[in-house]
Structures are given as structure tokens and as C-alpha cells.
Amino acid sequence: MRIALAEGRAALDAGEFPVGCVLVGDDRVLVRGRRINSSGADCNELDHAEVTALRRLLTMNPQTDCSRVTAYSTMEPCLMCYATMLLSGIRRFVWAFEDIMGGGTNVPLEQLHDLYAGMQVELVPNVLRAEGLALFQNFFRRHEYWRDSPLARYTLAQPTGE
């Protein structure tokens, strides 16, 4: 998680939304990713940290057995990232700070169609939460992206130093 937090800090330093992601397999870091294009001329909602990390992993090694991969993220994966990683075979997710606005991990998979219904997923929230919270509080105090969102209000209302 500390490596994911370092990626989040690097994103923040670049003026991006501070999501960092590390994909780990067999107790070693396979790839790192961070949010890009959350502002500026190329602004989009596709270049999330988890997606950039997964693209890098599958480009470097398309034969990766993703069922043996754990995704560590500074923030709970959004619905897009969560579904993308699930469909790629990742079943273990660890994150620092909850995404109360767009987190995908509370989707009841068993209520979806067969493709998702049988998936056994391990979810590990709040790992180094205080450090993750600090990243997002810092971001929302300085940047416009999602500034007036429920996520920003929730994040800025959280006590620091938990």
C-alpha cells in the first residue's frame, strides 16, 4: 500500500487526482499506475490509476494469471475500474480511502448476471486510511476536479490523524 500511496503522491504532485495503484503477484510488484488526465486538454474519465496499471501489466505480459494478482489502490476502485479488473480476473482488492461517491465494491455481484454472480472477491478496506485521506484532503483543498462533489465534502469533513 505504501507504494500505491507513493504513486498517489506523484499524481498529486503532477496536479492529478491522487489515485495510485499497484498490482502485486507472488509477493512482488508487477506494475504501478497513477491517475492521469484528470485535468487539462486531455481531461477524461478513462485514465484511472487501476486502468493504467492493468493496461501496463497486460501489455508487458499478456499471459499474466490475474487471479493471482492483488490490486492496491489509494482509493476504493470506482465501478468502472472494479468491473474492468474483475473481468480481467483480479479478485483481491485493497484500498486506503473509501469512495463514497463512486466506489464499485459494494455492488452486490450475486444479484448480477452469471458473469459476475459466481465471483468470489476479497475486499480489504482502510489500509493506511489516514495517509490516503491526507492525499485526498490535500487535493480537494487545492484543485477544482470534483471540488463540489459529495466525495469532496465527505473527504474534507473527515477528521485528520485517524
Side-chain angles (χ1 to χ4, degrees):
M1 181 55 74
R2 293 199 186 282
I3 297 169
L5 288 163
E7 288 296 313
R9 279 189 290 281
L12 179 64
D13 291 345
E16 301 285 355
F17 195 57
V19 180
C21 177
V22 178
L23 300 180
V24 174
D26 297 323
D27 293 322
R28 68 181 182 87
V29 173
L30 302 173
V31 292
R32 303 168 184 222
R34 68 178 73 133
R35 179 66 162 101
I36 57 173
N37 297 321
S38 59
S39 64
D42 294 327
C43 183
N44 69 68
E45 288 302 330
L46 296 172
D47 295 326
H48 289 201
E50 295 88 350
V51 172
T52 62
L54 186 59
R55 279 184 182 148
R56 187 170 292 129
L57 175 65
L58 296 177
T59 298
M60 290 172 37
N61 188 353
Q63 303 306 317
T64 299
D65 178 2
C66 287
S67 70
R68 300 171 53 101
V69 171
T70 299
Y72 291 85
S73 299
T74 57
M75 178 174 272
E76 174 187 3
C78 73
L79 184 56
M80 175 186 73
C81 292
Y82 185 54
T84 299
M85 290 189 290
L86 285 173
L87 291 173
S88 297
I90 297 173
R91 298 292 185 270
R92 186 166 190 264
F93 301 86
V94 181
W95 65 89
F97 187 62
E98 62 274 12
D99 181 352
I100 60 98
M101 187 172 77
T105 64
N106 29 347
V107 169
L109 297 176
E110 67 280 354
Q111 293 179 14
L112 300 179
H113 292 286
D114 293 344
L115 178 64
Y116 295 97
M119 292 181 179
Q120 299 298 309
V121 179
E122 182 180 355
L123 305 174
V124 184
N126 302 321
V127 174
L128 300 177
R129 183 182 183 276
E131 289 91 332
L133 170 61
L135 276 177
F136 292 99
Q137 286 180 331
N138 189 337
F139 177 84
F140 285 126
R141 287 183 183 116
R142 299 185 339 193
H143 298 280
E144 294 297 318
Y145 180 79
W146 291 112
R147 175 168 277 170
D148 294 322
S149 69
L151 177 61
R153 289 189 295 276
Y154 172 82
T155 301
L156 293 170
Q158 295 295 302
T160 58
E162 294 180 284

